Amino acid sequence: MVTIKEVKTKKEIKKFVNFPLNLYKDSKYFVPELYSSEISLFKSTNIYNETCDQVFYLAYDENNHVVGRIQGIIQKQFNSIHNEKRVRFSRFDSIDDTQVSSALFKAVEDWAKEKGMDTFCGPLGYSDLEREGMLIEGFDEMQTFEEQYNYPYYQKLTEDYGFQKEIDWVESNLTYKEECYEKICKLSDIVMKRYNLHIVSQLKNESKSHFIDRVAPGFFELLDSAYAKLYGVVPFTDKMKKSIISDFKLILDTKYILIVNNEEEKTVAFGLCFPGLSDALVGTKGKLTPKTIIKILKAVKHPRTADLGLIACDEDYLNKGIIAPIIKKVMELFALEKVESIETNLNLEDNIKIRQCWKYFNERQHKRRRSFVKSIE
C-alpha cells in the first residue's frame, strides 16, 4: 500500500530533499544538486513563486518509509505566452515500483486538474536553466552538474502511467581535433572583420563580478530572443536574472565567457562554459563543506573537463558564420587551458544547426534525454 502526502513541514522538506541522495548513494554517475539550493525551493523567497504554482509530494510505503517524491509546477508564464494549460512534473524519483510512481503522478495530475490544466508533461523545471529531461540512454556515463541522473527503470514507470514522447535532447562528449583549430581561427577572423564585430574583454583591474554584471544585460536580452521558440522556455524576470548571476558567479571564470558585440555594442552572440564540477560533487550529497568548497575551487581553477552551458546567436546574424568565434573559444579550452573533454549538455534532437557545430571536434554522442506528455483525464 502506498500513501501520498503533500510536503508541508520542515521534517517533510528534509525527507523530500534527502530521498534522491539516499536512492543514488551507491551510484558513481549521480551528481547531486546543491543541498542549500534545494531547501530554498520551499521558502517564501523562492523567485519562481511569482510566476509558478507548485506542489511537492512524498510517497510512503506501509512501514512509513519514503519510497518516492515528485514536484508539480504550473509555469504560468509559459501557459500565458503559448495559450496552453500545462502542468510540469519535476524532481521525480522513485523506487522501481509502478504502484509508487503511478500514485505520485496521479497526485500531481489531480492537483493540476483542480486548477484547470489539461496537459501533463515533463520532467521540466521552472525554466530552461533548471535540470530537465529524463535520461533514457547513457546510464553508464558521468552526469554533469547541470543535468540529472536517473535509473533505467524510470522510463518504464513513466510510460506505464500513459506518458508518451514529446521531445528528445541529445548530449555529446567533445575532444580536441587539432587539424580543425587553424581552420576555425581563420574563419573566425574573417567573420569578425566582415561584420565589424568584437569580443567584449575584461578590462584591466576589472573584477570578475563587475565584468559579469557589465555583460549580463546584453547576454539576457539575446538569451530571451534566441531561445524564445525552443521547447519549454520562458523569459527571465529581473529577479530570475539576479538570482542566476548570483548562483553562477562562484563557478564562472571569465575565460569561459565569450560575448560578441557589434559596432553599436549590441550583443549578437555568446558562448558560455562551466568548469566540470562532477568529480568535485560526487559523493558529497550537495553539501558545501570546507572540503567540498576546496574541491570546487580547484576544479574551477584547473578543470579537467568543462560543460558547455549556452550558445546563442542574434537572428540577423544567422547563417553568417558567427558561430566560428564561439567554436574557436571552445577549442582554446583544449589548446590553451588543457581541458581534456567538454560535455555539450542538452541539444534538441532536431536542432541540426547547433549539432553541426560539433564537426570541428571529435564527437561522441553518448546520452539522450526525453520529455514526456499526456492528456489529463
Side-chain angles (χ1 to χ4, degrees), residues 45-47 50 236-245:
T45 53
N46 182 349
I47 58 171
E50 294 182 357
F236 294 98
T237 66
D238 288 341
K239 286 186 178 181
M240 291 180 199
K241 294 173 186 177
K242 290 180 181 178
S243 177
I244 291 167
I245 292 171

Side-chain angles (χ1 to χ4, degrees), residues 158-215:
T158 305
E159 291 175 344
D160 282 349
Y161 191 70
F163 283 99
Q164 296 180 333
K165 172 186 173 179
E166 183 164 36
I167 193 72
D168 274 9
W169 297 269
V170 294
E171 301 174 58
S172 295
N173 178 273
L174 310 177
T175 55
Y176 187 47
K177 187 185 287 188
E178 187 174 359
E179 61 268 26
C180 289
Y181 183 54
E182 184 176 348
K183 177 181 178 181
I184 203 68
C185 286
K186 290 180 180 179
L187 180 58
S188 175
D189 290 342
I190 292 171
V191 170
M192 297 293 281
K193 291 177 182 178
R194 178 177 295 168
Y195 300 108
N196 200 16
L197 305 174
H198 63 276
I199 294 172
V200 181
S201 301
Q202 187 175 6
L203 303 175
K204 185 178 181 180
N205 299 324
E206 182 180 29
S207 68
K208 177 179 75 170
S209 179
H210 186 273
F211 173 73
I212 292 173
D213 289 339
R214 180 162 62 89
V215 300

Side-chain angles (χ1 to χ4, degrees), residues 181 184-185 188-189 323-332:
Y181 183 54
I184 203 68
C185 286
S188 175
D189 290 342
I323 198 71
I326 298 175
I327 298 301
K328 176 186 174 184
K329 182 71 172 181
V330 175
M331 295 192 79
E332 286 176 348

Side-chain angles (χ1 to χ4, degrees), residues 2-213:
V2 178
T3 302
I4 302 296
K5 295 181 181 179
E6 184 177 349
V7 176
K8 293 183 178 181
T9 68
K10 289 184 178 180
K11 186 176 181 180
E12 290 167 343
I13 290 171
K14 288 184 178 180
K15 288 181 178 180
F16 186 93
V17 175
N18 283 326
F19 179 70
L21 303 179
N22 295 326
L23 186 67
Y24 292 98
K25 65 181 180 180
D26 296 324
S27 172
K28 60 183 179 181
Y29 306 116
F30 172 76
V31 181
E33 293 260 27
L34 293 181
Y35 193 88
S36 58
S37 296
E38 290 298 281
I39 290 291
S40 69
L41 299 177
F42 298 87
K43 296 180 179 180
S44 59
T45 53
N46 182 349
I47 58 171
Y48 293 102
N49 288 340
E50 294 182 357
T51 57
C52 299
D53 290 336
Q54 60 182 334
V55 69
F56 301 86
Y57 292 111
L58 285 170
Y60 297 82
D61 64 14
E62 62 273 11
N63 297 315
N64 205 34
H65 295 149
V66 176
V67 289
R69 70 168 195 168
I70 198 168
Q71 178 188 17
I73 301 172
I74 297 176
Q75 223 311 340
K76 294 182 287 187
Q77 275 181 298
F78 180 90
N79 285 347
S80 177
I81 292 170
H82 297 276
N83 193 28
E84 295 191 28
K85 297 179 180 179
R86 286 188 169 229
V87 61
R88 305 174 172 194
F89 73 86
S90 183
R91 293 172 172 84
F92 164 68
D93 290 290
S94 172
I95 64 170
D96 189 4
D97 188 319
T98 302
Q99 186 179 5
V100 173
S101 57
S102 295
L104 288 166
F105 287 132
K106 188 176 188 306
V108 174
E109 185 169 5
D110 289 345
W111 170 78
K113 189 174 182 179
E114 289 182 0
K115 291 182 173 292
M117 301 298 105
D118 59 21
T119 305
F120 197 2
C121 65
L124 290 172
Y126 301 107
S127 75
D128 190 49
L129 294 188
E130 276 224 305
R131 295 180 174 189
E132 57 189 359
M134 182 176 292
L135 190 68
I136 60 171
E137 294 176 8
F139 299 105
D140 56 351
E141 300 283 350
M142 177 62 74
Q143 303 306 293
T144 65
F145 173 63
E146 296 81 17
E147 302 304 335
Q148 182 71 22
Y149 183 75
N150 58 260
Y151 289 128
Y153 63 77
Y154 274 41
Q155 181 178 355
K156 183 178 186 303
L157 294 181
T158 305
E159 291 175 344
D160 282 349
Y161 191 70
F163 283 99
Q164 296 180 333
K165 172 186 173 179
E166 183 164 36
I167 193 72
D168 274 9
W169 297 269
V170 294
E171 301 174 58
S172 295
N173 178 273
L174 310 177
T175 55
Y176 187 47
K177 187 185 287 188
E178 187 174 359
E179 61 268 26
C180 289
Y181 183 54
E182 184 176 348
K183 177 181 178 181
I184 203 68
C185 286
K186 290 180 180 179
L187 180 58
S188 175
D189 290 342
I190 292 171
V191 170
M192 297 293 281
K193 291 177 182 178
R194 178 177 295 168
Y195 300 108
N196 200 16
L197 305 174
H198 63 276
I199 294 172
V200 181
S201 301
Q202 187 175 6
L203 303 175
K204 185 178 181 180
N205 299 324
E206 182 180 29
S207 68
K208 177 179 75 170
S209 179
H210 186 273
F211 173 73
I212 292 173
D213 289 339

Side-chain angles (χ1 to χ4, degrees), residues 249-297:
K249 275 184 178 177
L250 173 66
I251 63 173
L252 274 176
D253 190 308
T254 53
K255 66 188 177 186
Y256 292 87
I257 303 172
L258 179 74
I259 305 291
V260 181
N261 282 9
N262 64 15
E263 55 189 341
E264 298 173 351
E265 293 302 332
K266 178 183 178 182
T267 299
V268 297
F270 66 71
L272 182 65
C273 284
F274 302 102
L277 300 181
S278 298
D279 291 342
L281 288 170
V282 167
T284 66
K285 295 190 175 182
K287 296 183 178 180
L288 294 178
T289 63
K291 183 178 179 180
T292 301
I293 292 174
I294 291 172
K295 290 171 68 177
I296 290 174
L297 293 176

